[in-house]
């Protein structure tokens, strides 16, 4: 069955500073995560873009990143939105962290013979230079991949308009899911946190409806985190093709252990995208 990965589920009813700090501190304690081990820390949130409506349901809330930067001092924040990254970071409150715009950084070429779609591609150099990557995703339904969680959040490590090119070339759920796992297996963040304080249901990742859940989820393994998240939404984990492919490549296991404030994953009956209903 493979290694049993722990997934922490902690209550966090709002984005209030005190409440978020307390929840992050509890997560790090539950996962027994070292704070002083790492020299260069990179935080990768989900800032897909700036939206006038339902922004708190679309992006990783900056309060979570702010809290992480208290525990991991001098951590760098980096992101590449789908378009116009700098403007999005400014408008969403991320500019105060002095973030790196990935498409403006130096790149390194990745060669991966084991990849199924991306045998050769480019990352910002800081991803390879960092000795800890903290992957801070947002729980949302997704019209193509059903779930946008921890694995898919790393698609934002691909710089700028290259993301659109890959989307066009890797058409369909299966091909695109394989591409996402190709990226994940070349990053494998050691700490993965999911913002489920306010999530999104329906036509995610940006046109759905906000759903207040009041939780933060976390794991050292992104696959385990997505498995827990898919159950929370009401999907069978094996129906999420990124998860299925990652388990197939021995990057994770369906055998997870839930710890924290909730011992059993509830089915919150999220509204599914119309593409899934069809």
């Amino acid at each position: 069955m493979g290694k049993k990965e722990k997934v922490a589920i902690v209550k966090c009813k709002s984005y209030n500073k005190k409440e978020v700090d307390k929840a992050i501190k509890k997560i790090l304690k539950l996962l027994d995560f070292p704070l002083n081990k790492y020299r260069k820390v990179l935080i990768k949130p989900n800032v897909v873009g700036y939206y006038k409506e339902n922004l708190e349901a679309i992006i990783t809330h900056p309060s979570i990143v702010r809290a992480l930067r208290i525990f991991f001092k001098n951590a760098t924040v980096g992101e590449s939105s789908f378009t116009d990254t700098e403007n999005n970071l400014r408008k969403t409150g991320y500019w105060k962290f002095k973030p790196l715009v990935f498409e403006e950084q130096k790149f390194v070429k990745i060669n991966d013979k084991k990849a199924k779609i991306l045998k050769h591609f480019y990352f910002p150099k800081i991803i390879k230079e960092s000795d800890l990557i903290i992957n801070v995703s947002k729980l949302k339904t997704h019209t193509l991949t059903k779930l946008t969680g921890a694995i898919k959040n790393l698609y934002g490590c691909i710089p700028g308009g290259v993301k659109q090119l890959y989307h066009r070339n890797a058409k369909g759920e299966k091909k695109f899911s394989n591409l996402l796992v190709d990226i994940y297996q070349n990053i494998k963040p050691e700490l993965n946190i999911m913002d489920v304080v306010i999530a999104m249901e329906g036509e995610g990742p940006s046109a759905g409806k906000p759903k207040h859940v009041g939780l933060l989820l976390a794991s050292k393994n992104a696959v385990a985190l997505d498995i827990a998240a898919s159950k929370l939404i009401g999907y069978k984990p094996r129906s999420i093709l990124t998860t299925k492919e990652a388990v197939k490549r021995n990057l994770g296991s369906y055998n997870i252990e839930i710890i924290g404030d909730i011992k059993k994953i509830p089915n919150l009956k999220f509204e599914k995208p119309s593409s899934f209903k069809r």
Side-chain angles (χ1 to χ4, degrees):
M1 293 214 32
K3 180 185 175 184
K4 195 174 231 185
E5 295 286 354
K6 292 180 179 179
V7 178
I9 303 181
V10 171
K11 291 178 182 177
C12 186
K13 293 180 181 179
S14 76
Y15 293 118
N16 172 273
K17 179 181 181 294
K18 189 175 180 180
E19 195 160 1
V20 173
D21 289 358
K22 184 180 176 182
I24 293 295
K25 184 178 182 180
K26 188 168 186 178
I27 279 169
L28 296 171
K29 187 176 180 180
L30 284 166
L31 295 177
D32 193 24
F33 204 88
L35 299 179
N36 302 315
K37 177 182 174 182
Y38 304 98
R39 179 184 57 84
K40 197 166 187 176
V41 178
L42 175 66
I43 299 173
K44 165 62 179 78
N46 181 341
V47 188
V48 65
Y50 172 73
Y51 299 81
K52 290 183 179 178
E53 294 183 5
N54 302 328
L55 185 64
E56 284 191 338
I58 297 171
I59 69 166
T60 304
H61 199 278
S63 63
I64 297 169
V65 172
R66 179 202 52 75
L68 283 165
R69 292 181 84 239
I70 292 172
F71 292 101
F72 296 92
K73 300 189 188 307
N74 301 318
T76 301
V77 178
E79 176 64 301
S80 174
S81 304
F82 210 66
T83 58
D84 203 4
T85 303
E86 181 177 330
N87 186 51
N88 294 328
L89 292 170
R90 286 182 183 276
K91 287 186 173 181
T92 54
Y94 270 84
W95 205 248
K96 63 191 173 189
F97 303 134
K98 299 180 181 177
L100 297 180
V101 176
F102 281 156
E103 52 265 38
E104 296 176 359
Q105 306 305 306
K106 291 182 179 179
F107 301 137
V108 291
K109 188 176 182 180
I110 305 298
N111 298 299
D112 185 0
K113 293 179 181 178
K114 294 181 179 179
K116 290 194 175 179
I117 307 294
L118 292 180
K119 303 283 187 185
H120 313 283
F121 59 102
Y122 289 87
F123 272 162
K125 193 176 180 183
I126 190 170
I127 290 172
K128 287 301 178 185
E129 289 176 340
S130 300
D131 51 4
L132 173 63
I133 295 171
I134 305 177
N135 178 23
V136 194
S137 58
K138 184 78 171 181
L139 179 58
K140 299 179 282 187
T141 49
H142 194 281
T143 52
L144 178 61
T145 57
K146 302 185 185 75
L147 165 80
T148 174
I151 292 176
K152 186 170 185 305
N153 189 45
L154 298 173
Y155 195 47
C157 294
I158 299 296
V162 180
K163 287 190 284 294
Q164 289 91 314
L165 177 67
Y166 288 167
H167 251 303
R168 289 196 295 271
N169 292 342
K171 290 183 178 178
E173 182 185 6
K174 185 175 181 180
K175 204 169 183 180
F176 186 59
S177 296
N178 276 324
L179 180 149
L180 293 175
V181 178
D182 289 345
I183 294 167
Y184 171 64
Q185 71 185 14
N186 282 282
I187 300 177
K188 289 188 280 191
E190 291 182 50
L191 179 58
N192 301 273
I193 296 172
M194 189 175 288
D195 177 0
V196 200
V197 179
I198 299 175
M200 176 168 277
E201 63 181 353
E203 306 305 305
S206 59
K209 297 183 294 188
K211 188 178 180 80
H212 184 269
V213 179
L215 297 173
L216 291 180
L217 274 63
S219 179
K220 292 179 180 178
N221 183 276
V223 184
L225 186 55
D226 280 355
I227 288 168
S230 60
K231 289 182 178 181
L232 202 68
I233 282 180
Y235 283 121
K236 292 180 180 177
R238 285 175 173 80
S239 74
I240 309 299
L241 298 191
T242 49
T243 301
K244 190 175 182 179
E245 179 63 26
V247 172
K248 187 178 176 182
R249 298 191 201 183
N250 295 315
L251 298 169
S253 165
Y254 291 113
N255 189 21
I256 65 173
E257 178 188 354
I258 304 301
I259 57 175
D261 295 334
I262 296 174
K263 304 300 180 186
K264 188 177 180 182
I265 302 171
N267 179 348
L268 298 180
K269 297 179 181 177
F270 273 53
E271 182 183 320
K272 306 300 188 294
S274 55
S275 56
F276 175 75
K277 294 170 187 173
R278 288 196 298 272

